[in-house]
Amino acid sequence: MRRKPCYFKKWDLVIYFFIFSILFSLFCYAQNLNNTKGNKAEVYVDNKLRYVFDLEENKKEYFVDTNLGGVNIEINKMKIRVTTSNSPLKICVKQGWISNSGDTIVGIPDRLLIKVVGDTDDSEVDTIIK
């Protein structure tokens, strides 16, 4: 009688489970690492800072003049997005809402960059070197 081939041993499965749990915990940590909410949005046109908007809970709409005629920006519930644009592909409109610090919306034909920034809290100690 022939034995069935055994591809895994008992300790192999334990090692695989251990490696999988470490990778899963690192993935979860990386997802939560940079999710700090921003409180201001900087709008650059032609690589120059034109506007700084406070992200607010109330709905507000603004018009930003660009090379192609301008874009409409909406701020609502601490998020920002581009609602309309005159660019041919409207990629900046398709990027949707952004709210986390470091998120950006880029409109290449408009030469538009919207970046969410947050206040840095200097009271926390990052590292101590002796």
Side-chain angles (χ1 to χ4, degrees), residues 45-46 66-71 85-87 92 107-112:
V45 179
D46 284 334
T66 61
N67 294 340
L68 294 179
V71 296
S85 174
N86 292 329
S87 63
C92 58
I108 303 240
D110 292 315
R111 295 185 177 194
L112 172 77

Side-chain angles (χ1 to χ4, degrees), residues 98-122:
I98 59 171
S99 63
N100 294 332
S101 182
D103 289 348
T104 58
I105 294 176
V106 179
I108 303 240
D110 292 315
R111 295 185 177 194
L112 172 77
L113 173 72
I114 300 173
K115 180 168 55 169
V116 176
V117 293
D119 287 337
T120 57
D121 188 13
D122 293 335

Side-chain angles (χ1 to χ4, degrees), residues 23-90:
L23 291 176
F24 182 74
S25 63
L26 287 175
F27 175 75
C28 291
Y29 177 73
Q31 290 294 321
N32 294 327
L33 185 63
N34 207 8
N35 286 341
T36 57
K37 296 290 183 186
N39 57 0
K40 292 187 185 286
E42 296 178 346
V43 178
Y44 295 87
V45 179
D46 284 334
N47 216 11
K48 296 177 186 168
L49 180 63
R50 297 291 174 146
Y51 304 100
V52 177
F53 297 122
D54 289 329
L55 298 180
E56 301 174 358
E57 289 292 328
N58 302 331
K59 182 177 180 178
K60 299 215 176 180
E61 294 186 8
Y62 299 100
F63 178 78
V64 176
D65 191 26
T66 61
N67 294 340
L68 294 179
V71 296
N72 290 326
I73 296 174
E74 179 183 355
I75 298 174
N76 192 10
K77 297 181 183 175
M78 302 297 288
K79 297 178 182 179
I80 188 169
R81 73 173 177 163
V82 176
T83 55
T84 60
S85 174
N86 292 329
S87 63
L89 296 177
K90 299 188 183 344

Side-chain angles (χ1 to χ4, degrees), residues 12-27:
D12 290 342
L13 294 176
V14 171
I15 291 172
Y16 294 148
F17 178 74
F18 181 71
I19 291 172
F20 176 74
S21 63
I22 288 174
L23 291 176
F24 182 74
S25 63
L26 287 175
F27 175 75

